[in-house]
Amino acid sequence: MNTDELDNALFGAERKVLKIQAKLHCWARDDPHRRFDDLFNLVADPAFLLVAWDRVRGNKGAKTAGVDGATAASIAVGTGVEDFLDGLRSRIRDRSFRPLPVRERTIPKTGGKLRRLGIATITDRMVQASLKLVLEPIFEADFLPCSYGFRPNRRAHDAMAKVRHFTSHGYEWIVEGDIKACFDEISHTALIAFSAPFTRRSLYPSSLARFHMTRASIGSDFSKSRSQSCTSHDFSTAACARGVESINTSSALRSDTVSASHSIAGTSPQTG
């Protein structure tokens, strides 16, 4: 498949994906109890995989290889995009696909601490990206307006604007919170168990759920610690934030929350 053919195919694939995403979102919004039982085929759909490839290839991390040493460029030159996508689709459909361990790296944080990153293979990022294309429009129907972190067409500036709105409309207390080591401490088991009940839907096969939420890393504790650099970490973090939103109206951004209140029990606002 040459460049022109790939671009034409991508244009058609993007239109198809957007059309299906719109339907999924409308169905989820109109019927909170609807069950989605055929999502597995969408994850392996050629259009979804092609759009996923475009997103992974266009990401700045496409030049960084996982444990298999492959980059987006090396796949395009070696195997070829069409053969790579066909092979991946077959492996997903016959259930033979298995994610590989991530390549761990640490980067410095403010204060001298280190942040752990897990670099997934291009193939694993592809499946995560396709899975996200399918699940995101369904989950979006459940997310509350006060959530801004890791959601399409929302950003940190929107959360800040909401906080400013609160402070100019009688809210006198702003409480900022942060989940310590959020990505290091998330329990895979709890996250998977939590996702299904709050959405009230059968969203995806357990095999793909485990892949989506699990950080497979040599020498790591498999029961917790999500890969902060993986394609799907933003989506699953937004799902976790949904639990905070259901308890208290807040502006949720990544692992941080900002709650506004007229007063705090047993406390009076200070003046002057």
Side-chain angles (χ1 to χ4, degrees):
M1 183 182 296
N2 59 41
T3 303
D4 290 338
E5 290 176 337
L6 182 61
D7 289 342
N8 291 334
L10 179 61
F11 177 76
E14 288 176 335
R15 295 186 64 181
K16 178 181 179 180
V17 169
L18 285 174
K19 184 177 180 179
I20 293 176
Q21 285 181 320
K23 288 182 178 180
L24 291 173
H25 182 74
C26 288
W27 291 337
R29 181 196 60 201
D30 296 341
D31 182 4
H33 301 284
R34 184 186 181 100
R35 296 180 64 86
F36 294 85
D37 298 318
D38 195 30
L39 298 182
F40 191 88
N41 287 330
L42 286 180
V43 176
D45 184 271
F48 278 80
L49 287 178
L50 182 55
V51 173
W53 164 260
D54 183 63
R55 295 193 175 184
V56 171
R57 178 190 61 177
N59 188 282
K60 63 182 180 180
K63 297 180 180 180
T64 304
V67 294
D68 62 356
T71 64
S74 68
I75 291 173
V77 174
T79 307
V81 176
E82 187 172 10
D83 289 342
F84 170 71
L85 295 180
D86 287 344
L88 179 56
R89 180 170 184 263
S90 297
R91 290 163 56 198
I92 295 174
R93 289 178 63 85
D94 65 16
R95 309 299 203 269
S96 65
F97 170 80
R98 295 292 184 273
L100 293 175
V102 297
R103 183 165 63 91
E104 276 201 356
R105 288 293 181 270
T106 56
I107 60 174
K109 293 175 59 176
T110 303
K113 295 183 179 180
L114 296 175
R115 185 188 305 278
R116 296 169 61 192
L117 298 179
I119 304 170
T121 65
I122 294 294
T123 302
D124 290 353
R125 283 178 247 175
M126 280 279 306
V127 179
Q128 292 181 48
S130 184
L131 186 59
K132 181 182 177 184
L133 288 171
V134 175
L135 296 182
E136 192 168 60
I138 300 174
F139 271 78
E140 275 293 317
D142 283 296
F143 289 156
L144 300 180
C146 60
S147 174
Y148 295 92
F150 298 126
R151 293 184 60 190
N153 302 317
R154 286 172 174 251
R155 54 181 185 160
H157 294 81
D158 298 322
M160 294 169 61
K162 191 67 174 180
V163 171
R164 285 195 292 268
H165 172 79
F166 283 144
T167 58
S168 62
H169 288 78
Y171 288 82
E172 298 172 315
W173 291 88
I174 299 294
V175 180
E176 190 271 341
D178 176 62
I179 302 174
K180 182 180 179 181
C182 176
F183 296 102
D184 294 335
E185 299 299 329
I186 289 178
S187 166
H188 297 172
T189 303
L191 181 56
I192 294 172
F194 170 74
S195 299
F198 100 76
T199 57
R200 307 175 301 282
R201 303 188 179 95
S202 174
L203 284 175
Y204 41 85
S206 59
S207 58
L208 280 181
R210 284 192 293 269
F211 166 76
H212 178 62
M213 301 300 183
T214 301
R215 178 189 187 195
S217 176
I218 297 174
S220 295
D221 181 353
F222 281 17
S223 66
K224 63 182 182 178
S225 182
R226 289 225 342 93
S227 172
Q228 185 161 354
S229 62
C230 76
T231 305
S232 61
H233 88 276
D234 53 351
F235 177 77
S236 50
T237 305
C240 287
R242 177 64 175 84
V244 177
E245 299 158 15
S246 64
I247 299 172
N248 184 25
T249 300
S250 61
S251 295
L253 181 65
R254 299 189 180 185
S255 60
D256 305 294
T257 61
V258 180
S259 297
S261 176
H262 290 283
S263 63
I264 297 179
T267 308
S268 299
Q270 300 294 318
T271 60

